[in-house]
């Protein structure tokens, strides 16, 4: 019988243990896509309670607490911090098999040295001990955490209209132990269907200094802001899309759609897709010209509870997996970019694993340009970043692509306590490769396999984004 989450947690054989402890564990973290708040980094934030650190903005946990039937006041409301923590502890007792069970206990061990199993019975002891450490342990400020976990860089998610003032402060201050890199996310300029779209376009015009009266002006304003982001160190962009836009219309027709929206007239789904296609296509060409990576996150259907959306807003735990077909749109969109040889470095994620085979086979159609692994299948994301999901993504990547060129894991998190997710991924990766070696499916060569593990853990991401 193995001990609960000991030093060889998930590692099922000797080669897996060697690959993790002697190779993966020592590598820095390049968390190239996250949702950390730059101002909290700039101020070297310290949390006062573990409730604040764990439950302050984590919709993963909020969803599970709702499964347990807890009142929303204990989840996102103003209930006493300990009462919230106690509700989370009771939820944990019911999460065996869920990745949150592993993540939570990894965080207790790695941040606080606490090896107790979280439950209602142990909640008070853990709560008091963690809070005491937040108050006294210098390793539990933002800078301390980044240093402790050997974080090389983080890529935050930033709107084109953002002045990146906090990024400037971080860079000029020079005290943060990790690089903090802005990532360009122009969703608000692409989502013409949203009610606040006209307001955002006016804001974009003001910030960019471009008078926007046409879709061409929108592209000009966005590219102008993109150049500012690149000057500030931007290495990647990000887009949240249910499916890949692929309706190519002439500019004057797309411009008509834009004018209808700005005048408050209704627009249909085909018009929406034509507008999105026009903007994303032109941005993709700009990304290619500047050598930065385009990240496309597909297959999330968001804000499914309209009542709770009205109360709490987006990103509060009411999103789900989308199941519309994806391959045809990706093919049409990327094929159009090949006509002028302007396919940018791209990482394609899908929240629905059914898309892995079609995406990976399509990626093989657009590789090249002297860039190894130019088009990537993103790591198992959101609802898929559990043990089974990560194994499926890794094995499918290996089945159809070149796994040793994979850029590896990211947290996609709003929490500074999420870095053990990289350890979790690395353990799973090492176990998959170690098992292949033990089964005679790959050479039993630690030097060779160790190099692959080190590359996927860190080196590939550094080369891909900074090389």
């Amino acid at each position: 019988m193995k001990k609960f989450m000991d030093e060889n947690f998930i590692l099922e054989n000797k080669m897996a243990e060697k690959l993790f402890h002697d190779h993966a564990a020592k590598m820095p973290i390049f968390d190239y896509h996250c949702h950390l708040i730059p101002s909290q980094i700039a101020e070297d934030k310290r949390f006062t309670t573990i409730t604040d650190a764990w439950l302050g903005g984590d919709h993963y946990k909020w969803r599970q607490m709702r499964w347990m039937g807890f009142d929303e006041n204990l989840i996102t409301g103003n209930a006493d911090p300990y009462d919230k923590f106690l509700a989370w502890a009771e939820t944990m007792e019911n999460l065996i098999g869920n990745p949150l069970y592993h993540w939570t206990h990894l965080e207790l061990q790695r941040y606080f040295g606490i090896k107790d199993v979280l439950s209602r019975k142990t909640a008070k002891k853990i709560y008091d001990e963690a809070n005491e450490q937040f108050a006294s342990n210098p390793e539990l400020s933002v800078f301390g955490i980044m240093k402790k976990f050997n974080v090389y860089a983080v890529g935050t998610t930033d709107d084109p209209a953002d002045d990146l003032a906090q990024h400037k402060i971080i860079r000029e201050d020079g005290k943060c132990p990790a690089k903090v890199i802005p990532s360009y996310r122009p969703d608000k300029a692409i989502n013409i269907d949203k009610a606040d779209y006209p307001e955002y376009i006016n804001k974009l015009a003001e910030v960019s200094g471009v008078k926007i009266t046409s879709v061409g002006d929108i592209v000009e304003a966005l590219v102008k802001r993109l150049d500012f982001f690149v000057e500030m160190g931007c290495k990647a962009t990000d887009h949240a899309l249910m499916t890949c836009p692929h309706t190519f219309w002439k500019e004057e027709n797309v411009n008509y759609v834009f004018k209808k929206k700005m005048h408050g007239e209704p627009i249909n789904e085909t018009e929406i897709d034509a507008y999105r296609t026009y903007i994303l296509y032109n941005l993709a060409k700009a990304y290619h010209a500047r050598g930065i990576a385009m990240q496309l996150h597909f297959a999330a259907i968001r804000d499914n509870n309209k009542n709770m959306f009205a109360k709490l807003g987006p990103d509060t735990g009411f999103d789900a997996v989308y199941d519309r077909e994806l391959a045809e749109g990706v093919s049409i969109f990327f094929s159009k970019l090949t006509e002028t040889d302007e396919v940018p470095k791209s990482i394609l994620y899908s929240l629905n694993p059914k898309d892995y085979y079609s995406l990976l086979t399509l990626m093989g159609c657009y590789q090249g340009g002297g860039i190894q692994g130019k088009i990537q299948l993103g790591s198992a994301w959101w609802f898929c970043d559990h043990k089974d999901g990560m194994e499926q993504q890794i094995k499918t990547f290996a089945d159809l692509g070149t796994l040793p060129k994979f850029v590896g894991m990211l947290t996609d998190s709003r929490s500074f306590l999420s870095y053990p997710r990289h350890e979790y991924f690395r353990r799973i990766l090492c176990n998959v490769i170690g098992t292949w070696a033990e089964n005679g499916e790959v050479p039993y060569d630690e030097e060779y396999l160790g190099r692959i593990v080190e590359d996927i853990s860190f080196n590939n991401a550094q080369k891909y984004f900074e090389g």
Side-chain angles (χ1 to χ4, degrees):
M1 181 184 72
K2 289 189 174 183
K3 293 181 179 178
F4 173 64
M5 294 185 66
D6 65 3
E7 68 276 7
N8 289 323
F9 169 57
I10 294 179
L11 308 174
E12 298 175 343
N13 53 68
K14 291 299 181 184
M15 179 58 83
E17 292 173 11
K18 291 178 182 177
L19 292 176
F20 178 74
H21 294 299
D22 297 339
H23 299 276
K26 70 180 183 181
M27 301 306 293
I29 289 173
F30 196 139
D31 198 29
Y32 54 86
H33 175 66
C34 70
H35 296 276
L36 297 177
I37 300 172
S39 62
Q40 293 183 346
I41 302 174
E43 69 186 30
D44 190 19
K45 180 179 174 65
R46 295 189 68 92
F47 296 95
T48 56
T49 71
I50 192 170
T51 303
D52 182 24
W54 261 357
L55 300 174
D58 191 342
H59 56 81
Y60 285 65
K61 295 184 177 73
W62 294 348
R63 286 174 65 94
Q64 303 311 321
M65 294 171 77
R66 292 181 187 123
W67 274 94
M68 291 294 294
F70 287 115
D71 186 273
E72 192 66 28
N73 194 46
L74 286 167
I75 303 170
T76 59
N78 296 317
D80 179 81
Y82 179 68
D83 290 341
K84 285 186 172 184
F85 185 79
L86 195 61
W88 172 240
E90 183 174 336
T91 303
M92 274 292 294
E93 294 181 35
N94 294 274
L95 288 183
I96 58 170
N98 188 292
L100 283 166
Y101 198 81
H102 289 157
W103 296 348
T104 297
H105 287 106
L106 278 175
E107 290 169 17
L108 285 175
Q109 291 183 16
R110 300 298 180 263
Y111 287 90
F112 308 103
I114 296 173
K115 297 187 177 181
D116 296 314
V117 176
L118 180 59
S119 66
R120 286 186 68 91
K121 182 178 179 180
T122 61
K124 185 65 165 66
K125 177 176 180 287
I126 290 174
Y127 183 78
D128 290 342
E129 185 173 346
N131 290 347
E132 191 281 326
Q133 290 197 45
F134 272 129
S136 63
N137 186 349
E139 289 189 340
L140 291 177
S141 72
V142 167
F143 292 172
I145 288 169
M146 289 180 165
K147 185 174 182 180
K148 175 182 176 66
F149 285 90
N150 196 15
V151 179
Y152 170 80
V154 297
T156 61
T157 306
D158 308 277
D159 187 273
D162 196 315
D163 63 8
L164 301 184
Q166 298 300 319
H167 282 271
K168 293 178 183 178
I169 291 171
I170 294 165
R171 187 165 67 176
E172 292 170 2
D173 180 67
K175 294 180 180 178
C176 183
K179 295 183 180 181
V180 182
I181 303 168
S183 298
Y184 185 83
R185 184 160 175 160
D187 289 356
K188 291 182 179 179
I190 291 178
N191 291 335
I192 193 171
D193 55 314
K194 300 297 183 182
D196 61 353
Y197 170 85
E199 179 183 352
Y200 181 78
I201 292 300
N202 291 332
K203 180 179 180 181
L204 178 64
E206 179 181 353
V207 170
S208 66
V210 175
K211 184 179 180 181
I212 297 178
T213 60
S214 68
V215 290
D217 296 333
I218 295 173
V219 171
E220 180 186 349
L222 288 172
V223 171
K224 189 173 180 180
R225 296 305 294 168
L226 175 64
D227 285 335
F228 168 63
F229 271 58
V230 171
E231 289 175 9
M232 291 295 295
C234 175
K235 304 296 183 182
T237 75
D238 185 44
H239 302 264
L241 302 162
M242 286 202 294
T243 189
C244 190
H246 59 281
T247 303
F248 285 92
W249 283 4
K250 292 181 179 179
E251 183 174 329
E252 57 263 33
N253 295 333
V254 180
N255 203 48
Y256 176 67
V257 175
F258 166 69
K259 290 183 181 298
K260 283 175 66 177
K261 178 66 177 184
M262 295 301 286
H263 287 115
E265 299 174 29
I267 54 177
N268 62 41
E269 287 298 319
T270 303
E271 291 173 324
I272 291 168
D273 197 67
Y275 171 84
R276 286 175 172 163
T277 304
Y278 177 87
I279 300 297
L280 184 61
Y281 172 70
N282 282 282
L283 285 176
K285 294 196 293 182
Y287 303 155
H288 169 75
R290 290 154 181 78
I292 60 177
M294 177 174 70
Q295 297 182 91
L296 303 179
H297 283 83
F298 294 121
I301 184 167
R302 299 171 189 268
D303 306 322
N304 297 288
N305 186 323
K306 297 306 177 186
N307 180 45
M308 294 304 292
F309 176 76
K311 292 179 180 178
L312 300 175
D315 304 320
T316 51
F318 299 97
D319 305 327
V321 177
Y322 196 50
D323 64 354
R324 184 178 293 183
E325 295 304 317
L326 182 59
E328 182 180 15
V330 171
S331 172
I332 293 171
F333 184 82
F334 277 84
S335 293
K336 185 70 172 177
L337 288 167
T338 66
E339 293 178 7
T340 52
D341 195 22
E342 292 180 283
V343 176
K345 290 188 293 185
S346 302
I347 305 177
L348 311 185
Y349 306 79
S350 178
L351 203 54
N352 195 329
K354 76 172 181 59
D355 297 321
Y356 288 174
Y357 264 79
S358 57
L359 285 178
L360 276 160
T361 52
L362 278 166
M363 288 173 195
C365 303
Y366 311 118
Q367 303 290 353
I371 302 172
Q372 295 182 343
K374 178 180 179 179
I375 317 296
Q376 293 264 331
L377 178 66
S379 63
W381 166 48
W382 198 345
F383 294 118
C384 300
D385 58 0
H386 44 71
K387 184 173 180 288
D388 290 342
M390 290 184 191
E391 287 180 349
Q392 180 183 4
Q393 189 270 351
I394 290 166
K395 291 176 180 179
T396 310
F397 200 131
D399 285 339
L400 299 170
T402 52
L403 182 63
K405 300 306 175 185
F406 178 30
V407 295
M409 181 61 175
L410 50 93
T411 63
D412 189 36
S413 175
R414 292 164 174 78
S415 172
F416 291 97
L417 299 192
S418 293
Y419 293 119
R421 295 185 196 179
H422 282 268
E423 176 186 340
Y424 191 59
F425 165 81
R426 292 175 185 184
R427 286 177 178 272
I428 292 166
L429 172 70
C430 291
N431 193 61
V432 169
I433 295 177
T435 299
W436 289 342
E438 296 286 350
N439 290 342
E441 298 177 54
V442 299
Y444 200 89
D445 183 338
E446 183 187 344
E447 181 180 358
Y448 166 60
L449 299 178
R451 184 169 63 251
I452 292 173
V453 164
E454 291 177 10
D455 285 347
I456 295 172
S457 296
F458 172 73
N459 295 331
N460 289 345
Q462 184 186 37
K463 182 177 180 180
Y464 188 82
F465 292 103
E466 297 189 329

